């Protein structure tokens, strides 16, 4: 089952997470939901790498509608990380600049 709600349970079973693979995860709504739910279990470095990946991915989209939609999703994701204290305002500001 690929439900984001079940992902934290599944991830707890994994001893080592390959950061290289996870940071290449596409910045889809589903992957952002999963990372957001897993954020208490993930290292700050991973969260920052994933955040960078999401921002970079959204900046290279050529279709205006798709880019706008993706940027909105990334903003909601970043706001959630900020609200939950997983990243600081300064870290987000640096990434967005």
């Amino acid at each position: 089952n690929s439900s984001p709600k079940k992902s934290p349970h599944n991830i707890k079973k994994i001893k080592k997470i390959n950061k290289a693979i996870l940071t290449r995860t596409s910045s889809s709504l589903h992957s952002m939901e999963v990372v957001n739910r897993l954020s208490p279990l993930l290292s700050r470095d991973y969260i920052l790498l994933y955040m960078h990946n999401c921002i970079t991915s959204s900046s290279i989209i050529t279709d205006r509608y798709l880019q706008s939609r993706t940027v909105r999703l990334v903003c909601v994701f970043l706001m959630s990380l900020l609200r939950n204290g997983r990243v600081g305002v300064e870290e987000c500001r640096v990434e967005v600049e």
Side-chain angles (χ1 to χ4, degrees):
N1 191 345
S2 62
S3 169
K5 291 181 181 181
K6 292 190 179 193
S7 294
H9 173 71
N10 293 336
I11 260 319
K12 287 179 184 177
K13 295 178 183 178
I14 299 173
K15 295 288 184 189
K16 293 183 180 178
I17 298 174
N18 186 333
K19 287 184 184 179
I21 292 171
L22 288 175
T23 53
R24 287 187 214 136
T25 303
S26 67
S27 57
S28 67
L29 172 62
H30 182 76
S31 70
M32 284 186 244
E33 285 178 350
V34 170
V35 171
N36 190 38
R37 289 184 187 274
L38 291 175
S39 67
L41 305 172
L42 299 171
S43 73
R44 185 175 204 79
D45 289 341
Y46 171 73
I47 292 171
L48 293 174
L49 283 170
Y50 184 76
M51 186 173 81
H52 173 78
N53 181 46
C54 289
I55 293 168
T56 302
S57 296
S58 66
S59 70
I60 60 172
I61 298 172
T62 56
D63 179 277
R64 285 215 177 267
Y65 173 75
L66 184 57
Q67 184 182 44
S68 176
R69 184 171 174 260
T70 304
V71 167
R72 284 194 306 268
L73 288 172
V74 171
C75 287
V76 170
F77 173 65
L78 294 177
M79 288 184 335
S80 178
L81 291 175
L82 284 164
R83 192 173 35 252
N84 294 324
R86 296 302 296 153
V87 295
V89 174
E90 188 62 25
E91 292 163 320
C92 284
R93 187 186 68 77
V94 169
E95 279 297 326
V96 172
E97 286 181 353

